[in-house]
């Protein structure tokens, strides 16, 4: 309360200043407080105060942040390669397992084109699956890649498309399961 009262007094001593604060209450509520001068004919005649309870918004943001952290931990630590590939076949995201499967160390898969790792016949296999994905169907198939470290690897790929609100294809989420030893 003391800091709040001090801020109020300061604002009334500076009639043309504006202020924005967050006020934290003992019961856990949080309010945004905005104070602006009330001008009449260019002269300050008082202050306009606005208080907005943002407690639920902050709780929702915190919940979303915790949820994102859980999913990030899951994606980064699951035993399968996971990636997002855009419509130009460029990796936009790949977890550490995907980087290892593709033999990529420095910089990871992000920014690389999927085609770089495929022989021509295997590229055709992948492109044939694209029609299924464009129709919104899940796709599952086997493919052989040549990794950055020169090894041939056999992968079981499961993929599903992501569309925007206008049903425009944005790209594909892909799970890579290395079945080379099998």
């Amino acid at each position: 309360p003391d800091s709040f009262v001090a801020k109020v007094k300061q604002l009334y001593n500076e009639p043309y200043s504006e202020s924005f604060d967050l006020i934290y209450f003992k019961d856990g509520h949080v309010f945004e407080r905005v104070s602006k001068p009330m001008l009449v004919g260019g002269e300050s005649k008082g202050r306009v105060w606005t208080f907005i309870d943002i407690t639920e918004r902050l709780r929702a943001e915190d919940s979303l942040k915790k949820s994102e952290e859980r999913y990030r931990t899951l994606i980064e630590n699951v035993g399968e390669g996971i990636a997002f590939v855009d419509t130009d076949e460029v990796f936009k995201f790949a977890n550490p397992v995907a980087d290892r499967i593709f033999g990529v160390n420095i910089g990871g898969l992000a920014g690389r084109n999927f085609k770089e790792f495929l022989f021509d016949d295997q590229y055709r296999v992948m492109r044939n699956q694209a029609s299924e994905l464009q129709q919104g169907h899940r796709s599952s198939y086997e493919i052989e890649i040549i990794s950055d470290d020169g090894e041939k690897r056999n992968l079981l790929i499961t993929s599903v498309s992501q569309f925007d609100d206008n049903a425009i294809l944005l790209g594909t989420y892909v799970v890579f399961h290395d079945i080379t030893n099998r």
Side-chain angles (χ1 to χ4, degrees):
D2 294 336
S3 63
F4 176 76
V5 171
K7 185 68 173 184
V8 170
K9 287 180 181 178
Q10 175 190 355
L11 288 170
Y12 275 105
N13 289 329
E14 300 171 5
Y16 292 96
S17 65
E18 296 183 7
S19 175
F20 171 85
D21 293 288
L22 294 179
I23 303 170
Y24 296 89
F25 291 89
K26 289 180 182 179
D27 68 357
H29 280 79
V30 181
F31 280 63
E32 284 182 344
R33 182 196 49 81
V34 178
S35 179
K36 295 185 177 195
M38 181 172 41
L39 302 176
V40 177
E43 189 177 327
S44 177
K45 297 293 184 181
R47 301 202 69 77
V48 176
W49 297 86
T50 306
F51 295 87
I52 301 171
D53 186 347
I54 61 168
T55 307
E56 289 305 315
R57 184 184 84 200
L58 292 178
R59 286 180 184 155
E61 288 172 358
D62 185 54
S63 179
L64 179 61
K65 180 181 174 186
K66 288 177 181 173
S67 176
E68 288 174 348
E69 288 171 1
R70 284 191 299 269
Y71 282 110
R72 182 176 300 111
T73 299
L74 174 67
I75 295 298
E76 290 178 357
N77 293 292
V78 71
E80 304 292 341
I82 298 174
F84 182 77
V85 180
D86 70 10
T87 55
D88 294 324
E89 300 164 359
V90 174
F91 287 94
K92 293 300 185 183
F93 162 82
N95 71 349
V97 176
D99 289 341
R100 283 193 299 276
I101 288 171
F102 281 80
V104 177
N105 295 320
I106 300 173
L109 281 170
R112 304 275 303 265
N113 194 296
F114 199 176
K115 188 175 182 177
E116 295 175 43
F117 302 94
L118 300 174
F119 298 103
D120 289 341
D121 63 327
Q122 297 299 294
Y123 180 71
R124 285 190 293 278
V125 169
M126 184 194 75
R127 291 301 308 150
N128 287 338
Q129 296 298 316
S131 63
E132 291 292 314
L133 293 169
Q134 289 173 347
Q135 294 174 27
H137 300 292
R138 191 178 128 203
S139 178
S140 187
Y141 58 99
E142 292 184 20
I143 200 164
E144 183 179 57
I145 65 163
I146 182 81
S147 67
D148 250 13
D149 52 17
E151 289 185 41
K152 289 182 182 179
R153 295 199 174 116
N154 296 87
L155 306 179
L156 173 61
I157 293 180
T158 303
S159 52
V160 63
S161 299
Q162 179 185 10
F163 296 91
D164 69 9
D165 293 338
N166 298 315
I168 306 233
L169 180 65
L170 298 174
T172 306
Y173 290 102
V174 186
V175 176
F176 304 100
H177 180 71
D178 190 341
I179 57 172
T180 304
N181 292 336
R182 185 183 78 180

